[in-house]
Amino acid sequence: MKAHRPAVFAAVLGLTRAASAAGDFWVQNDFCARVKGASDDHPVTYEDPATKEKTTHGTADGRKACLEHCLTYVATQAIVAGLGARALGIRVHPAAAAAALALSFGTHYAADRRVPGEGLLEKLATKTGKGGFYKLADYGLNGAFHLDSAWHHGWETVAALIATTGAKTR
């Protein structure tokens, strides 16, 4: 039976949005969160919370940390959306799901490699007149965080549209 696509889209978007928040804030480890924007020109010193050992990380470690974060992020989305869709009686086409997860992975990696002065979101913010907001870290706000969230929400919406292509109900 063909699913009512708007309802399926809303369900999949809700599932992936919840999974995204979990993947970004609960599943992502402290090391990845701190090191994923490291570069040789802008190294990051990480202090292990358990041992208090300090290590310095450059481009290779930054890329690896961002890759690890994006893999756990997309895995969280796949698990939550897959189990949620099953519980709701939604059959998502495997190719559509894979395409949606690939889009989520790629756009998440592009946004989260926040190398100072070189990151995609910082460049976009500057070109669109939002550079000041991107750098805002006062009054209880963090502009980079909000622009990052808006970026992810927008791409999650596109991914949910892709994922629901050809979806059916059981």
PDB file of all heavy atoms in Angstrom, residues 123-165:
ATOM      1  N   LYS A 123      32.510  30.673   6.439  1.00  0.00           N
ATOM      2  CA  LYS A 123      32.579  31.341   5.137  1.00  0.00           C
ATOM      3  C   LYS A 123      31.191  31.732   4.644  1.00  0.00           C
ATOM      4  O   LYS A 123      30.988  32.841   4.144  1.00  0.00           O
ATOM      5  CB  LYS A 123      33.263  30.432   4.114  1.00  0.00           C
ATOM      6  CG  LYS A 123      34.762  30.325   4.303  1.00  0.00           C
ATOM      7  CD  LYS A 123      35.361  29.419   3.243  1.00  0.00           C
ATOM      8  CE  LYS A 123      36.861  29.331   3.391  1.00  0.00           C
ATOM      9  NZ  LYS A 123      37.456  28.447   2.383  1.00  0.00           N
ATOM     10  N   LEU A 124      30.223  30.817   4.778  1.00  0.00           N
ATOM     11  CA  LEU A 124      28.845  31.126   4.366  1.00  0.00           C
ATOM     12  C   LEU A 124      28.271  32.287   5.187  1.00  0.00           C
ATOM     13  O   LEU A 124      27.627  33.175   4.633  1.00  0.00           O
ATOM     14  CB  LEU A 124      27.943  29.901   4.549  1.00  0.00           C
ATOM     15  CG  LEU A 124      27.849  28.927   3.398  1.00  0.00           C
ATOM     16  CD1 LEU A 124      27.074  27.685   3.823  1.00  0.00           C
ATOM     17  CD2 LEU A 124      27.196  29.561   2.198  1.00  0.00           C
ATOM     18  N   ALA A 125      28.513  32.238   6.489  1.00  0.00           N
ATOM     19  CA  ALA A 125      28.008  33.307   7.357  1.00  0.00           C
ATOM     20  C   ALA A 125      28.604  34.650   6.953  1.00  0.00           C
ATOM     21  O   ALA A 125      27.885  35.654   6.869  1.00  0.00           O
ATOM     22  CB  ALA A 125      28.326  32.990   8.813  1.00  0.00           C
ATOM     23  N   THR A 126      29.881  34.678   6.685  1.00  0.00           N
ATOM     24  CA  THR A 126      30.547  35.921   6.286  1.00  0.00           C
ATOM     25  C   THR A 126      29.995  36.439   4.965  1.00  0.00           C
ATOM     26  O   THR A 126      29.676  37.623   4.837  1.00  0.00           O
ATOM     27  CB  THR A 126      32.073  35.697   6.202  1.00  0.00           C
ATOM     28  OG1 THR A 126      32.534  35.276   7.490  1.00  0.00           O
ATOM     29  CG2 THR A 126      32.800  36.969   5.799  1.00  0.00           C
ATOM     30  N   LYS A 127      29.838  35.536   3.984  1.00  0.00           N
ATOM     31  CA  LYS A 127      29.338  35.948   2.658  1.00  0.00           C
ATOM     32  C   LYS A 127      27.891  36.411   2.681  1.00  0.00           C
ATOM     33  O   LYS A 127      27.476  37.177   1.817  1.00  0.00           O
ATOM     34  CB  LYS A 127      29.509  34.817   1.656  1.00  0.00           C
ATOM     35  CG  LYS A 127      30.947  34.614   1.254  1.00  0.00           C
ATOM     36  CD  LYS A 127      31.086  33.579   0.169  1.00  0.00           C
ATOM     37  CE  LYS A 127      32.570  33.417  -0.099  1.00  0.00           C
ATOM     38  NZ  LYS A 127      32.904  32.946  -1.391  1.00  0.00           N
ATOM     39  N   THR A 128      27.109  35.941   3.648  1.00  0.00           N
ATOM     40  CA  THR A 128      25.689  36.319   3.705  1.00  0.00           C
ATOM     41  C   THR A 128      25.416  37.413   4.735  1.00  0.00           C
ATOM     42  O   THR A 128      24.264  37.676   5.066  1.00  0.00           O
ATOM     43  CB  THR A 128      24.818  35.088   4.014  1.00  0.00           C
ATOM     44  OG1 THR A 128      25.223  34.529   5.270  1.00  0.00           O
ATOM     45  CG2 THR A 128      24.913  34.052   2.911  1.00  0.00           C
ATOM     46  N   GLY A 129      26.475  38.031   5.242  1.00  0.00           N
ATOM     47  CA  GLY A 129      26.302  39.115   6.205  1.00  0.00           C
ATOM     48  C   GLY A 129      26.029  38.648   7.627  1.00  0.00           C
ATOM     49  O   GLY A 129      25.612  39.432   8.474  1.00  0.00           O
ATOM     50  N   LYS A 130      26.237  37.370   7.907  1.00  0.00           N
ATOM     51  CA  LYS A 130      25.995  36.812   9.241  1.00  0.00           C
ATOM     52  C   LYS A 130      27.300  36.540   9.995  1.00  0.00           C
ATOM     53  O   LYS A 130      27.293  35.852  11.018  1.00  0.00           O
ATOM     54  CB  LYS A 130      25.209  35.497   9.140  1.00  0.00           C
ATOM     55  CG  LYS A 130      23.840  35.643   8.533  1.00  0.00           C
ATOM     56  CD  LYS A 130      22.922  36.307   9.502  1.00  0.00           C
ATOM     57  CE  LYS A 130      21.518  36.374   8.951  1.00  0.00           C
ATOM     58  NZ  LYS A 130      20.671  37.219   9.774  1.00  0.00           N
ATOM     59  N   GLY A 131      28.412  37.063   9.510  1.00  0.00           N
ATOM     60  CA  GLY A 131      29.708  36.822  10.142  1.00  0.00           C
ATOM     61  C   GLY A 131      29.753  37.278  11.591  1.00  0.00           C
ATOM     62  O   GLY A 131      30.307  36.590  12.449  1.00  0.00           O
ATOM     63  N   GLY A 132      29.155  38.431  11.878  1.00  0.00           N
ATOM     64  CA  GLY A 132      29.106  38.921  13.256  1.00  0.00           C
ATOM     65  C   GLY A 132      28.302  37.995  14.147  1.00  0.00           C
ATOM     66  O   GLY A 132      28.691  37.720  15.288  1.00  0.00           O
ATOM     67  N   PHE A 133      27.180  37.501  13.631  1.00  0.00           N
ATOM     68  CA  PHE A 133      26.360  36.571  14.411  1.00  0.00           C
ATOM     69  C   PHE A 133      27.104  35.260  14.621  1.00  0.00           C
ATOM     70  O   PHE A 133      27.050  34.683  15.700  1.00  0.00           O
ATOM     71  CB  PHE A 133      25.016  36.321  13.714  1.00  0.00           C
ATOM     72  CG  PHE A 133      24.104  35.415  14.499  1.00  0.00           C
ATOM     73  CD1 PHE A 133      23.554  35.829  15.697  1.00  0.00           C
ATOM     74  CD2 PHE A 133      23.807  34.144  14.034  1.00  0.00           C
ATOM     75  CE1 PHE A 133      22.721  34.989  16.430  1.00  0.00           C
ATOM     76  CE2 PHE A 133      22.980  33.302  14.756  1.00  0.00           C
ATOM     77  CZ  PHE A 133      22.433  33.728  15.963  1.00  0.00           C
ATOM     78  N   TYR A 134      27.808  34.788  13.589  1.00  0.00           N
ATOM     79  CA  TYR A 134      28.580  33.544  13.709  1.00  0.00           C
ATOM     80  C   TYR A 134      29.578  33.646  14.861  1.00  0.00           C
ATOM     81  O   TYR A 134      29.765  32.698  15.615  1.00  0.00           O
ATOM     82  CB  TYR A 134      29.314  33.254  12.392  1.00  0.00           C
ATOM     83  CG  TYR A 134      30.113  31.977  12.427  1.00  0.00           C
ATOM     84  CD1 TYR A 134      29.530  30.775  12.083  1.00  0.00           C
ATOM     85  CD2 TYR A 134      31.457  31.975  12.809  1.00  0.00           C
ATOM     86  CE1 TYR A 134      30.246  29.580  12.119  1.00  0.00           C
ATOM     87  CE2 TYR A 134      32.191  30.786  12.849  1.00  0.00           C
ATOM     88  CZ  TYR A 134      31.581  29.604  12.505  1.00  0.00           C
ATOM     89  OH  TYR A 134      32.294  28.431  12.558  1.00  0.00           O
ATOM     90  N   LYS A 135      30.205  34.800  14.995  1.00  0.00           N
ATOM     91  CA  LYS A 135      31.231  34.985  16.030  1.00  0.00           C
ATOM     92  C   LYS A 135      30.650  35.360  17.395  1.00  0.00           C
ATOM     93  O   LYS A 135      31.384  35.407  18.383  1.00  0.00           O
ATOM     94  CB  LYS A 135      32.233  36.048  15.582  1.00  0.00           C
ATOM     95  CG  LYS A 135      33.041  35.585  14.385  1.00  0.00           C
ATOM     96  CD  LYS A 135      33.956  36.663  13.880  1.00  0.00           C
ATOM     97  CE  LYS A 135      34.697  36.144  12.638  1.00  0.00           C
ATOM     98  NZ  LYS A 135      35.486  37.174  12.014  1.00  0.00           N
ATOM     99  N   LEU A 136      29.354  35.628  17.462  1.00  0.00           N
ATOM    100  CA  LEU A 136      28.723  36.025  18.713  1.00  0.00           C
ATOM    101  C   LEU A 136      28.816  34.916  19.755  1.00  0.00           C
ATOM    102  O   LEU A 136      28.467  33.771  19.496  1.00  0.00           O
ATOM    103  CB  LEU A 136      27.241  36.358  18.478  1.00  0.00           C
ATOM    104  CG  LEU A 136      26.419  36.729  19.723  1.00  0.00           C
ATOM    105  CD1 LEU A 136      26.905  38.044  20.307  1.00  0.00           C
ATOM    106  CD2 LEU A 136      24.946  36.812  19.374  1.00  0.00           C
ATOM    107  N   ALA A 137      29.327  35.262  20.893  1.00  0.00           N
ATOM    108  CA  ALA A 137      29.407  34.321  22.020  1.00  0.00           C
ATOM    109  C   ALA A 137      29.191  35.135  23.290  1.00  0.00           C
ATOM    110  O   ALA A 137      30.052  35.226  24.156  1.00  0.00           O
ATOM    111  CB  ALA A 137      30.739  33.601  22.030  1.00  0.00           C
ATOM    112  N   ASP A 138      28.014  35.736  23.376  1.00  0.00           N
ATOM    113  CA  ASP A 138      27.693  36.604  24.506  1.00  0.00           C
ATOM    114  C   ASP A 138      26.178  36.644  24.683  1.00  0.00           C
ATOM    115  O   ASP A 138      25.440  36.163  23.832  1.00  0.00           O
ATOM    116  CB  ASP A 138      28.219  38.018  24.221  1.00  0.00           C
ATOM    117  CG  ASP A 138      28.510  38.806  25.488  1.00  0.00           C
ATOM    118  OD1 ASP A 138      28.157  38.349  26.582  1.00  0.00           O
ATOM    119  OD2 ASP A 138      29.110  39.890  25.368  1.00  0.00           O
ATOM    120  N   TYR A 139      25.728  37.202  25.764  1.00  0.00           N
ATOM    121  CA  TYR A 139      24.300  37.338  26.060  1.00  0.00           C
ATOM    122  C   TYR A 139      23.595  35.984  26.096  1.00  0.00           C
ATOM    123  O   TYR A 139      22.414  35.881  25.774  1.00  0.00           O
ATOM    124  CB  TYR A 139      23.597  38.265  25.049  1.00  0.00           C
ATOM    125  CG  TYR A 139      24.280  39.578  24.852  1.00  0.00           C
ATOM    126  CD1 TYR A 139      25.025  39.827  23.703  1.00  0.00           C
ATOM    127  CD2 TYR A 139      24.217  40.559  25.837  1.00  0.00           C
ATOM    128  CE1 TYR A 139      25.665  41.031  23.522  1.00  0.00           C
ATOM    129  CE2 TYR A 139      24.860  41.773  25.664  1.00  0.00           C
ATOM    130  CZ  TYR A 139      25.585  42.000  24.504  1.00  0.00           C
ATOM    131  OH  TYR A 139      26.227  43.191  24.339  1.00  0.00           O
ATOM    132  N   GLY A 140      24.325  34.934  26.433  1.00  0.00           N
ATOM    133  CA  GLY A 140      23.743  33.599  26.484  1.00  0.00           C
ATOM    134  C   GLY A 140      23.548  32.958  25.119  1.00  0.00           C
ATOM    135  O   GLY A 140      22.881  31.939  25.002  1.00  0.00           O
ATOM    136  N   LEU A 141      24.106  33.557  24.077  1.00  0.00           N
ATOM    137  CA  LEU A 141      23.973  33.032  22.718  1.00  0.00           C
ATOM    138  C   LEU A 141      25.325  32.589  22.183  1.00  0.00           C
ATOM    139  O   LEU A 141      26.368  33.068  22.614  1.00  0.00           O
ATOM    140  CB  LEU A 141      23.422  34.105  21.772  1.00  0.00           C
ATOM    141  CG  LEU A 141      21.987  34.529  21.971  1.00  0.00           C
ATOM    142  CD1 LEU A 141      21.649  35.685  21.033  1.00  0.00           C
ATOM    143  CD2 LEU A 141      21.046  33.374  21.689  1.00  0.00           C
ATOM    144  N   ASN A 142      25.274  31.690  21.231  1.00  0.00           N
ATOM    145  CA  ASN A 142      26.458  31.292  20.485  1.00  0.00           C
ATOM    146  C   ASN A 142      26.018  31.197  19.038  1.00  0.00           C
ATOM    147  O   ASN A 142      25.320  30.263  18.646  1.00  0.00           O
ATOM    148  CB  ASN A 142      26.992  29.946  20.993  1.00  0.00           C
ATOM    149  CG  ASN A 142      28.223  29.521  20.244  1.00  0.00           C
ATOM    150  OD1 ASN A 142      28.220  29.453  19.026  1.00  0.00           O
ATOM    151  ND2 ASN A 142      29.274  29.229  20.965  1.00  0.00           N
ATOM    152  N   GLY A 143      26.411  32.194  18.261  1.00  0.00           N
ATOM    153  CA  GLY A 143      25.969  32.269  16.876  1.00  0.00           C
ATOM    154  C   GLY A 143      26.386  31.079  16.035  1.00  0.00           C
ATOM    155  O   GLY A 143      25.594  30.561  15.239  1.00  0.00           O
ATOM    156  N   ALA A 144      27.638  30.615  16.189  1.00  0.00           N
ATOM    157  CA  ALA A 144      28.112  29.470  15.401  1.00  0.00           C
ATOM    158  C   ALA A 144      27.239  28.251  15.681  1.00  0.00           C
ATOM    159  O   ALA A 144      26.868  27.515  14.762  1.00  0.00           O
ATOM    160  CB  ALA A 144      29.582  29.175  15.709  1.00  0.00           C
ATOM    161  N   PHE A 145      26.902  28.032  16.940  1.00  0.00           N
ATOM    162  CA  PHE A 145      26.054  26.892  17.305  1.00  0.00           C
ATOM    163  C   PHE A 145      24.677  27.000  16.645  1.00  0.00           C
ATOM    164  O   PHE A 145      24.167  26.024  16.090  1.00  0.00           O
ATOM    165  CB  PHE A 145      25.900  26.809  18.825  1.00  0.00           C
ATOM    166  CG  PHE A 145      24.882  25.787  19.255  1.00  0.00           C
ATOM    167  CD1 PHE A 145      25.208  24.445  19.287  1.00  0.00           C
ATOM    168  CD2 PHE A 145      23.594  26.170  19.608  1.00  0.00           C
ATOM    169  CE1 PHE A 145      24.263  23.495  19.668  1.00  0.00           C
ATOM    170  CE2 PHE A 145      22.657  25.240  19.992  1.00  0.00           C
ATOM    171  CZ  PHE A 145      22.993  23.895  20.021  1.00  0.00           C
ATOM    172  N   HIS A 146      24.072  28.172  16.687  1.00  0.00           N
ATOM    173  CA  HIS A 146      22.736  28.327  16.105  1.00  0.00           C
ATOM    174  C   HIS A 146      22.756  28.187  14.582  1.00  0.00           C
ATOM    175  O   HIS A 146      21.849  27.572  14.001  1.00  0.00           O
ATOM    176  CB  HIS A 146      22.123  29.659  16.524  1.00  0.00           C
ATOM    177  CG  HIS A 146      21.659  29.655  17.942  1.00  0.00           C
ATOM    178  ND1 HIS A 146      20.600  28.900  18.379  1.00  0.00           N
ATOM    179  CD2 HIS A 146      22.131  30.299  19.038  1.00  0.00           C
ATOM    180  CE1 HIS A 146      20.423  29.078  19.679  1.00  0.00           C
ATOM    181  NE2 HIS A 146      21.350  29.919  20.095  1.00  0.00           N
ATOM    182  N   LEU A 147      23.774  28.759  13.936  1.00  0.00           N
ATOM    183  CA  LEU A 147      23.867  28.607  12.484  1.00  0.00           C
ATOM    184  C   LEU A 147      24.153  27.157  12.108  1.00  0.00           C
ATOM    185  O   LEU A 147      23.611  26.646  11.122  1.00  0.00           O
ATOM    186  CB  LEU A 147      24.930  29.549  11.915  1.00  0.00           C
ATOM    187  CG  LEU A 147      24.560  31.032  11.978  1.00  0.00           C
ATOM    188  CD1 LEU A 147      25.747  31.894  11.565  1.00  0.00           C
ATOM    189  CD2 LEU A 147      23.350  31.343  11.127  1.00  0.00           C
ATOM    190  N   ASP A 148      24.966  26.465  12.908  1.00  0.00           N
ATOM    191  CA  ASP A 148      25.223  25.038  12.707  1.00  0.00           C
ATOM    192  C   ASP A 148      23.920  24.249  12.817  1.00  0.00           C
ATOM    193  O   ASP A 148      23.615  23.411  11.966  1.00  0.00           O
ATOM    194  CB  ASP A 148      26.241  24.562  13.757  1.00  0.00           C
ATOM    195  CG  ASP A 148      26.490  23.060  13.713  1.00  0.00           C
ATOM    196  OD1 ASP A 148      25.782  22.312  14.416  1.00  0.00           O
ATOM    197  OD2 ASP A 148      27.409  22.639  12.990  1.00  0.00           O
ATOM    198  N   SER A 149      23.144  24.524  13.841  1.00  0.00           N
ATOM    199  CA  SER A 149      21.869  23.809  14.029  1.00  0.00           C
ATOM    200  C   SER A 149      20.914  24.058  12.874  1.00  0.00           C
ATOM    201  O   SER A 149      20.278  23.127  12.373  1.00  0.00           O
ATOM    202  CB  SER A 149      21.211  24.240  15.342  1.00  0.00           C
ATOM    203  OG  SER A 149      21.965  23.786  16.431  1.00  0.00           O
ATOM    204  N   ALA A 150      20.818  25.305  12.433  1.00  0.00           N
ATOM    205  CA  ALA A 150      19.933  25.630  11.318  1.00  0.00           C
ATOM    206  C   ALA A 150      20.382  24.917  10.046  1.00  0.00           C
ATOM    207  O   ALA A 150      19.549  24.415   9.276  1.00  0.00           O
ATOM    208  CB  ALA A 150      19.889  27.140  11.101  1.00  0.00           C
ATOM    209  N   TRP A 151      21.686  24.854   9.816  1.00  0.00           N
ATOM    210  CA  TRP A 151      22.241  24.124   8.671  1.00  0.00           C
ATOM    211  C   TRP A 151      21.814  22.664   8.717  1.00  0.00           C
ATOM    212  O   TRP A 151      21.303  22.111   7.749  1.00  0.00           O
ATOM    213  CB  TRP A 151      23.761  24.262   8.685  1.00  0.00           C
ATOM    214  CG  TRP A 151      24.506  23.381   7.725  1.00  0.00           C
ATOM    215  CD1 TRP A 151      24.965  22.121   7.981  1.00  0.00           C
ATOM    216  CD2 TRP A 151      24.896  23.680   6.384  1.00  0.00           C
ATOM    217  NE1 TRP A 151      25.626  21.622   6.876  1.00  0.00           N
ATOM    218  CE2 TRP A 151      25.596  22.555   5.886  1.00  0.00           C
ATOM    219  CE3 TRP A 151      24.725  24.785   5.556  1.00  0.00           C
ATOM    220  CZ2 TRP A 151      26.120  22.518   4.595  1.00  0.00           C
ATOM    221  CZ3 TRP A 151      25.251  24.736   4.271  1.00  0.00           C
ATOM    222  CH2 TRP A 151      25.933  23.621   3.811  1.00  0.00           C
ATOM    223  N   HIS A 152      22.040  22.036   9.863  1.00  0.00           N
ATOM    224  CA  HIS A 152      21.700  20.622  10.007  1.00  0.00           C
ATOM    225  C   HIS A 152      20.207  20.389   9.854  1.00  0.00           C
ATOM    226  O   HIS A 152      19.786  19.440   9.191  1.00  0.00           O
ATOM    227  CB  HIS A 152      22.182  20.068  11.348  1.00  0.00           C
ATOM    228  CG  HIS A 152      23.670  20.041  11.487  1.00  0.00           C
ATOM    229  ND1 HIS A 152      24.534  19.702  10.465  1.00  0.00           N
ATOM    230  CD2 HIS A 152      24.460  20.317  12.548  1.00  0.00           C
ATOM    231  CE1 HIS A 152      25.774  19.773  10.886  1.00  0.00           C
ATOM    232  NE2 HIS A 152      25.760  20.143  12.147  1.00  0.00           N
ATOM    233  N   HIS A 153      19.378  21.242  10.440  1.00  0.00           N
ATOM    234  CA  HIS A 153      17.922  21.068  10.334  1.00  0.00           C
ATOM    235  C   HIS A 153      17.471  21.156   8.881  1.00  0.00           C
ATOM    236  O   HIS A 153      16.616  20.377   8.441  1.00  0.00           O
ATOM    237  CB  HIS A 153      17.187  22.113  11.163  1.00  0.00           C
ATOM    238  CG  HIS A 153      17.354  21.951  12.628  1.00  0.00           C
ATOM    239  ND1 HIS A 153      16.587  22.616  13.537  1.00  0.00           N
ATOM    240  CD2 HIS A 153      18.206  21.216  13.365  1.00  0.00           C
ATOM    241  CE1 HIS A 153      16.954  22.300  14.764  1.00  0.00           C
ATOM    242  NE2 HIS A 153      17.941  21.448  14.675  1.00  0.00           N
ATOM    243  N   GLY A 154      18.040  22.097   8.145  1.00  0.00           N
ATOM    244  CA  GLY A 154      17.673  22.234   6.734  1.00  0.00           C
ATOM    245  C   GLY A 154      18.025  20.993   5.928  1.00  0.00           C
ATOM    246  O   GLY A 154      17.203  20.487   5.154  1.00  0.00           O
ATOM    247  N   TRP A 155      19.241  20.482   6.122  1.00  0.00           N
ATOM    248  CA  TRP A 155      19.659  19.290   5.379  1.00  0.00           C
ATOM    249  C   TRP A 155      18.923  18.043   5.855  1.00  0.00           C
ATOM    250  O   TRP A 155      18.676  17.133   5.061  1.00  0.00           O
ATOM    251  CB  TRP A 155      21.169  19.115   5.439  1.00  0.00           C
ATOM    252  CG  TRP A 155      21.866  20.097   4.554  1.00  0.00           C
ATOM    253  CD1 TRP A 155      22.641  21.161   4.937  1.00  0.00           C
ATOM    254  CD2 TRP A 155      21.820  20.134   3.130  1.00  0.00           C
ATOM    255  NE1 TRP A 155      23.078  21.847   3.840  1.00  0.00           N
ATOM    256  CE2 TRP A 155      22.582  21.241   2.709  1.00  0.00           C
ATOM    257  CE3 TRP A 155      21.204  19.353   2.168  1.00  0.00           C
ATOM    258  CZ2 TRP A 155      22.748  21.571   1.364  1.00  0.00           C
ATOM    259  CZ3 TRP A 155      21.373  19.682   0.823  1.00  0.00           C
ATOM    260  CH2 TRP A 155      22.146  20.785   0.440  1.00  0.00           C
ATOM    261  N   GLU A 156      18.560  17.974   7.129  1.00  0.00           N
ATOM    262  CA  GLU A 156      17.763  16.844   7.619  1.00  0.00           C
ATOM    263  C   GLU A 156      16.394  16.834   6.944  1.00  0.00           C
ATOM    264  O   GLU A 156      15.841  15.763   6.668  1.00  0.00           O
ATOM    265  CB  GLU A 156      17.582  16.921   9.142  1.00  0.00           C
ATOM    266  CG  GLU A 156      18.854  16.593   9.896  1.00  0.00           C
ATOM    267  CD  GLU A 156      18.856  17.146  11.307  1.00  0.00           C
ATOM    268  OE1 GLU A 156      17.819  17.644  11.782  1.00  0.00           O
ATOM    269  OE2 GLU A 156      19.921  17.086  11.931  1.00  0.00           O
ATOM    270  N   THR A 157      15.858  18.005   6.664  1.00  0.00           N
ATOM    271  CA  THR A 157      14.573  18.096   5.976  1.00  0.00           C
ATOM    272  C   THR A 157      14.702  17.549   4.558  1.00  0.00           C
ATOM    273  O   THR A 157      13.851  16.768   4.104  1.00  0.00           O
ATOM    274  CB  THR A 157      14.070  19.549   5.972  1.00  0.00           C
ATOM    275  OG1 THR A 157      13.951  19.997   7.329  1.00  0.00           O
ATOM    276  CG2 THR A 157      12.728  19.672   5.281  1.00  0.00           C
ATOM    277  N   VAL A 158      15.762  17.952   3.860  1.00  0.00           N
ATOM    278  CA  VAL A 158      16.000  17.432   2.508  1.00  0.00           C
ATOM    279  C   VAL A 158      16.213  15.912   2.571  1.00  0.00           C
ATOM    280  O   VAL A 158      15.658  15.167   1.751  1.00  0.00           O
ATOM    281  CB  VAL A 158      17.208  18.135   1.852  1.00  0.00           C
ATOM    282  CG1 VAL A 158      17.543  17.498   0.504  1.00  0.00           C
ATOM    283  CG2 VAL A 158      16.941  19.626   1.689  1.00  0.00           C
ATOM    284  N   ALA A 159      16.995  15.454   3.553  1.00  0.00           N
ATOM    285  CA  ALA A 159      17.238  14.012   3.693  1.00  0.00           C
ATOM    286  C   ALA A 159      15.942  13.253   3.958  1.00  0.00           C
ATOM    287  O   ALA A 159      15.730  12.161   3.414  1.00  0.00           O
ATOM    288  CB  ALA A 159      18.252  13.751   4.805  1.00  0.00           C
ATOM    289  N   ALA A 160      15.060  13.813   4.765  1.00  0.00           N
ATOM    290  CA  ALA A 160      13.777  13.156   5.044  1.00  0.00           C
ATOM    291  C   ALA A 160      12.918  13.087   3.775  1.00  0.00           C
ATOM    292  O   ALA A 160      12.221  12.092   3.546  1.00  0.00           O
ATOM    293  CB  ALA A 160      13.028  13.876   6.161  1.00  0.00           C
ATOM    294  N   LEU A 161      12.976  14.130   2.957  1.00  0.00           N
ATOM    295  CA  LEU A 161      12.250  14.097   1.686  1.00  0.00           C
ATOM    296  C   LEU A 161      12.799  12.977   0.802  1.00  0.00           C
ATOM    297  O   LEU A 161      12.042  12.225   0.186  1.00  0.00           O
ATOM    298  CB  LEU A 161      12.378  15.431   0.955  1.00  0.00           C
ATOM    299  CG  LEU A 161      11.505  16.566   1.479  1.00  0.00           C
ATOM    300  CD1 LEU A 161      11.940  17.895   0.859  1.00  0.00           C
ATOM    301  CD2 LEU A 161      10.043  16.294   1.214  1.00  0.00           C
ATOM    302  N   ILE A 162      14.119  12.844   0.763  1.00  0.00           N
ATOM    303  CA  ILE A 162      14.743  11.775  -0.025  1.00  0.00           C
ATOM    304  C   ILE A 162      14.361  10.410   0.541  1.00  0.00           C
ATOM    305  O   ILE A 162      13.993   9.495  -0.203  1.00  0.00           O
ATOM    306  CB  ILE A 162      16.278  11.953  -0.056  1.00  0.00           C
ATOM    307  CG1 ILE A 162      16.643  13.200  -0.862  1.00  0.00           C
ATOM    308  CG2 ILE A 162      16.966  10.713  -0.617  1.00  0.00           C
ATOM    309  CD1 ILE A 162      18.097  13.633  -0.718  1.00  0.00           C
ATOM    310  N   ALA A 163      14.455  10.276   1.849  1.00  0.00           N
ATOM    311  CA  ALA A 163      14.179   8.991   2.492  1.00  0.00           C
ATOM    312  C   ALA A 163      12.748   8.514   2.278  1.00  0.00           C
ATOM    313  O   ALA A 163      12.489   7.304   2.234  1.00  0.00           O
ATOM    314  CB  ALA A 163      14.467   9.065   3.995  1.00  0.00           C
ATOM    315  N   THR A 164      11.819   9.428   2.112  1.00  0.00           N
ATOM    316  CA  THR A 164      10.422   9.023   1.964  1.00  0.00           C
ATOM    317  C   THR A 164      10.025   8.781   0.508  1.00  0.00           C
ATOM    318  O   THR A 164       8.877   8.417   0.248  1.00  0.00           O
ATOM    319  CB  THR A 164       9.486  10.066   2.608  1.00  0.00           C
ATOM    320  OG1 THR A 164       9.720  11.356   2.018  1.00  0.00           O
ATOM    321  CG2 THR A 164       9.707  10.137   4.109  1.00  0.00           C
ATOM    322  N   THR A 165      10.965   8.950  -0.404  1.00  0.00           N
ATOM    323  CA  THR A 165      10.686   8.636  -1.799  1.00  0.00           C
ATOM    324  C   THR A 165      10.388   7.144  -1.922  1.00  0.00           C
ATOM    325  O   THR A 165      11.196   6.316  -1.549  1.00  0.00           O
ATOM    326  CB  THR A 165      11.889   9.015  -2.700  1.00  0.00           C
ATOM    327  OG1 THR A 165      12.162  10.404  -2.530  1.00  0.00           O
ATOM    328  CG2 THR A 165      11.610   8.707  -4.155  1.00  0.00           C
TER     329      THR A 165
END
